[in-house]
Amino acid sequence: MKRLIAYIMLALSLAACKKQNVKDTGPTTVVTPPVTGIIDTSRTSWWQKAKFGMFIHWGVYSVPAGIYNGVDISDPGSGHYGSGEWIMHNLQIPVASYKEFAKQFNPTAYNPEEWVQLAKDAGMKYIVFTAKHHDGFAMYDTKYSDWNVVKATPYGKDVLRPLVDACRKYGLKIGIYYSQANDWINKGAANGGFWDVAQNGSMDDYIDKIAIPQVRELLSNYGDVLEIWWDIPDEMTTARAAKFSPVLALQPRTLTNNRLNQNWTGGDFDTPEQNITASSGGRPWESCMTMNDSWGYTKNDKNFKSSSTIIRNLIKVASLGGNYLLNVGPDANGKIPQPEISILKDLAGWMRINSESIYDTYASPFKFTPWGNATTKLTADGNTNIYLHIFNWPGGEKLHVPGVKNQLLSASMLANGKSVNGINDDTGITLDIPVGPVDNISSVIKMVVKGKLQVEVYEQGPEANGSFILSAAAADLHNPNGWDDIHVENEGNPNLGYWTNPWAYATWKIAVKTPGIYKVQAEIATEAGATVMVASVNGEAVQKTLTSTGGYGSYRLVTLGNLKIANSGSVTFTLAPDPGNWQPVNVRKVILTP
């Protein structure tokens, strides 16, 4: 227990050196927020300013489209639930049987210029294409395996080449996904479970004779590549990963993600998957997400997100300083499914009006705003634009922007240019807003303030009765070693979810007026038989063993214990697992009651 508290206190001291936030009610220390999420180097600057890209998962797996021998992997009740591109693995399809699908892959409707135009219209600046996924099938003309689109299909043509040409024609950059360590067809790399003797072989031979030569082809034959997107580094030791260095040197400006080696470290950017979580330490990051539940085309997966959700996801990613990589999964004919086209067209409509508030922006300086998110941009004349993305239009005709110390120069609705009146006051800026929103997805107000942005440190003050209600959305999240750890989910009623890393934790800065003993309660949901949660302040801690509430959607208010807060003023409250006794828990809020 003491070791856990010591770890948390050390982590908090380090985090405090890195993080600046905005004030709600508390001390008035003025700080200049860091421009988090932007590292302006010659290698990363264009990519980080671009903000938005298209992921394309396309391959032989689009032929079975999620169904094999009567089993539909898009059905959660099938016992083999999963994404379309994992069908060979999930259903343990023999190599010879899976290879038969290539004989049916003949995408005569493939029109890469249509794909690129859709991406460009939607506001995307780059495309990342699956040159080879885990089934080992190369979607280009490779000399190092006959298991490729040219030699193994009736289509008989390289599909990557015309996509690269179309990207360059329409001004988009091209990135390449390559599964370097999982290959269920080429011998030696069926990591995650060999189920066919045809997969047997040497992993090192696979790396030396297939993976490295193919990456060399991709970096030699297709012009400038924006990024290489590695995936799932099973068995990818430091020595094996190092073998790729000479090949990557062919294009030293090409970015790489953090999935090359088995330590999930290194590379130029991190890759939260299916969630929006900013990387710690200011590392660049790119959140990749699907439109439905599957990456590869899955015929019966109709669980598409709304256009509103996807547009707001883009905004949230930008407001945290990251990039958004949104996936499409074309079918075996080469057509992007109509629901995905409809979403892209809705994105196009919103971005035509509001793209200024996304491109070339910095992260929000505000810790928590109930009305939505924000992005910022430095102007050529030394002032700052603040873009307020309003999801929840206030009930009255006033909108408060907390903690801004700069003089307000102007404010207007980005959609129609109509002026919005506003005044500076002691707590920030208050705007006189229209009665209703101009856009039900996100109405954007553009504020221009004088000089480089200055805000006040965010500290949550007590309620009228002296209690603190700490929401999931207002937490600072700390993920010491993971790309898919604790994050905020569920827009309507947010919670801390996917808390799988026992070393990840959440903190809140609070402004204590009345020291004393506080009852600590948390609204939680879990399936755990037994899991231990720890609450702490300034070295004082309480812990509670939590048991199942009935599932991750069944919330219950649980008392963790009584915690002494000895001093008034600025205090950091921490909620953390006991690393030795942890199973995931969802948390909606924490209540501290004197």
Side-chain angles (χ1 to χ4, degrees):
M1 182 66 178
K2 290 182 179 178
R3 185 171 69 175
L4 171 62
I5 295 172
Y7 168 81
I8 293 171
M9 294 301 108
L10 175 61
L12 289 176
S13 66
L14 294 173
C17 297
K18 298 177 181 177
K19 207 153 189 178
Q20 309 282 5
N21 292 319
V22 179
K23 171 181 176 293
D24 181 14
T25 56
T28 57
T29 304
V30 177
V31 300
T32 300
V35 285
T36 56
I38 294 283
I39 299 177
D40 189 15
T41 71
S42 60
R43 297 183 70 252
T44 62
S45 58
W46 182 92
W47 179 83
Q48 289 185 277
K49 292 174 182 178
K51 294 296 178 190
F52 194 19
M54 175 184 279
F55 217 170
I56 301 177
H57 277 69
W58 193 35
V60 165
Y61 43 80
S62 63
V63 174
I67 302 171
Y68 179 73
N69 281 351
V71 178
D72 185 348
I73 65 170
S74 68
D75 178 6
S78 69
H80 301 280
Y81 182 71
S83 191
E85 75 285 357
W86 276 79
I87 190 169
M88 182 182 181
H89 175 279
N90 288 10
L91 297 183
Q92 306 283 276
I93 300 174
V95 168
S97 299
Y98 190 82
K99 281 187 171 183
E100 291 297 309
F101 291 128
K103 298 176 182 178
Q104 303 172 56
F105 188 74
N106 190 21
T108 55
Y110 174 46
N111 186 333
E113 291 202 10
E114 286 184 0
W115 291 10
V116 173
Q117 189 66 61
L118 278 169
K120 183 173 183 177
D121 290 347
M124 295 159 166
K125 296 290 190 178
Y126 59 98
I127 286 175
V128 178
F129 181 76
T130 49
K132 179 178 82 74
H133 208 273
H134 307 323
D135 64 357
F137 188 76
M139 294 290 282
Y140 71 99
D141 189 9
T142 175
K143 297 177 181 178
Y144 297 95
S145 170
D146 289 344
W147 180 233
N148 69 71
V149 68
V150 176
K151 297 182 177 68
T153 76
Y155 189 68
K157 291 180 286 186
D158 185 330
V159 299
L160 175 58
R161 173 73 63 191
L163 181 65
V164 169
D165 292 343
C167 282
R168 298 204 168 109
K169 177 177 178 179
Y170 290 95
L172 275 67
K173 292 186 183 290
I174 188 73
I176 291 174
Y177 169 109
Y178 186 89
S179 177
Q180 79 285 7
N182 278 262
D183 191 318
W184 305 323
I185 297 288
N186 292 300
K187 295 179 182 296
N191 296 306
F194 288 73
W195 59 89
D196 186 331
V197 295
Q199 298 168 321
N200 293 345
S202 163
M203 176 70 170
D204 288 305
D205 281 350
Y206 161 76
I207 294 293
D208 293 340
K209 298 176 182 179
I210 302 292
I212 289 175
Q214 286 188 336
V215 174
R216 183 181 295 111
E217 286 177 323
L218 292 167
L219 291 176
S220 300
N221 301 339
Y222 293 89
D224 293 338
V225 174
L226 174 65
E227 65 180 71
I228 293 287
W229 217 99
W230 311 115
D231 201 7
I232 309 187
D234 292 341
E235 305 298 325
M236 188 57 67
T237 63
T238 301
R240 286 170 176 161
K243 291 182 176 182
F244 286 86
S245 295
V247 183
L248 294 175
L250 293 171
Q251 292 201 33
R253 293 178 62 85
T254 296
L255 307 180
T256 60
N257 70 359
N258 63 329
R259 301 191 184 191
L260 175 60
N261 63 36
Q262 62 188 7
N263 296 318
W264 296 83
T265 58
D268 298 289
F269 60 94
D270 294 339
T271 50
E273 183 170 328
Q274 300 287 39
N275 72 80
I276 300 169
T277 306
S279 294
S280 59
R283 273 181 59 83
W285 56 281
E286 179 183 69
S287 180
C288 58
M289 302 182 81
T290 54
M291 293 192 190
N292 54 358
D293 292 334
S294 184
W295 298 97
Y297 177 68
T298 307
K299 179 181 179 181
N300 291 330
D301 183 355
K302 309 297 184 184
N303 190 31
F304 287 93
K305 301 174 182 70
S306 68
S307 295
S308 174
T309 294
I310 288 175
I311 291 169
R312 289 183 178 186
N313 283 345
L314 170 61
I315 294 166
K316 290 174 186 176
V317 170
S319 76
L320 291 171
N323 280 30
Y324 189 39
L325 190 62
L326 182 63
N327 185 71
V328 298
D331 64 23
N333 294 318
K335 301 292 287 185
I336 294 175
Q338 188 56 48
E340 296 180 356
I341 291 175
S342 296
I343 290 169
L344 291 170
K345 288 184 175 180
D346 288 343
L347 272 162
W350 191 86
M351 286 292 280
R352 274 195 297 271
I353 297 169
N354 299 291
S355 61
E356 174 189 335
S357 67
I358 301 296
Y359 301 140
D360 198 13
T361 57
Y362 299 110
S364 172
F366 309 123
K367 178 66 199 73
F368 175 64
T369 48
W371 36 259
N373 297 114
T375 53
T376 65
K377 183 179 296 184
L378 303 176
T379 65
D381 57 4
N383 295 323
T384 303
N385 293 345
I386 306 174
Y387 301 95
L388 310 178
H389 295 265
I390 306 172
F391 301 167
N392 308 306
W393 199 261
E397 297 180 14
K398 302 284 186 182
L399 184 133
H400 185 60
V401 186
V404 179
K405 305 301 292 183
N406 307 68
Q407 177 189 347
L408 177 65
L409 299 178
S410 67
S412 60
M413 302 302 302
L414 193 58
N416 55 29
K418 288 186 178 180
S419 179
V420 174
N421 293 325
I423 60 169
N424 288 86
D425 55 40
D426 291 340
T427 61
I429 293 173
T430 299
L431 300 175
D432 296 321
I433 61 174
V435 174
V438 298
D439 187 322
N440 289 325
I441 295 176
S442 176
S443 297
V444 183
I445 297 177
K446 177 182 178 180
M447 296 197 316
V448 182
V449 298
K450 186 174 180 61
K452 190 174 182 179
L453 189 61
Q454 290 187 316
V455 297
E456 292 176 346
V457 174
Y458 176 91
E459 289 180 342
Q460 183 167 334
E463 303 294 311
N465 65 358
S467 66
F468 294 87
I469 301 176
L470 310 179
S471 71
D476 286 316
L477 305 181
H478 308 267
N479 292 299
N481 61 328
W483 55 271
D484 59 356
D485 298 330
I486 181 174
H487 60 271
V488 177
E489 57 186 5
N490 297 322
E491 181 180 310
N493 196 358
N495 65 274
L496 304 181
Y498 214 80
W499 204 337
T500 57
N501 181 354
W503 292 103
Y505 60 99
T507 61
W508 291 261
K509 294 284 280 186
I510 60 176
V512 176
K513 294 182 179 179
T514 306
I517 305 297
Y518 284 76
K519 180 170 69 173
V520 183
Q521 295 175 292
E523 188 175 343
I524 65 135
T526 183
E527 295 178 355
T531 184
V532 179
M533 180 166 280
V534 181
S536 62
V537 170
N538 293 339
E540 298 285 337
V542 294
Q543 69 176 39
K544 176 76 171 182
T545 299
L546 307 172
T547 56
S548 176
T549 61
Y552 288 115
S554 299
Y555 283 86
R556 184 184 303 163
L557 190 63
V558 175
T559 298
L560 303 182
N562 294 327
L563 190 60
K564 182 180 179 180
I565 302 180
N567 302 308
S568 61
S570 178
V571 168
T572 298
F573 173 82
T574 300
L575 196 65
D578 177 348
N581 301 277
W582 183 248
Q583 295 180 55
V585 174
N586 290 347
V587 179
R588 277 185 177 161
K589 62 184 175 184
V590 178
I591 302 173
L592 308 180
T593 305

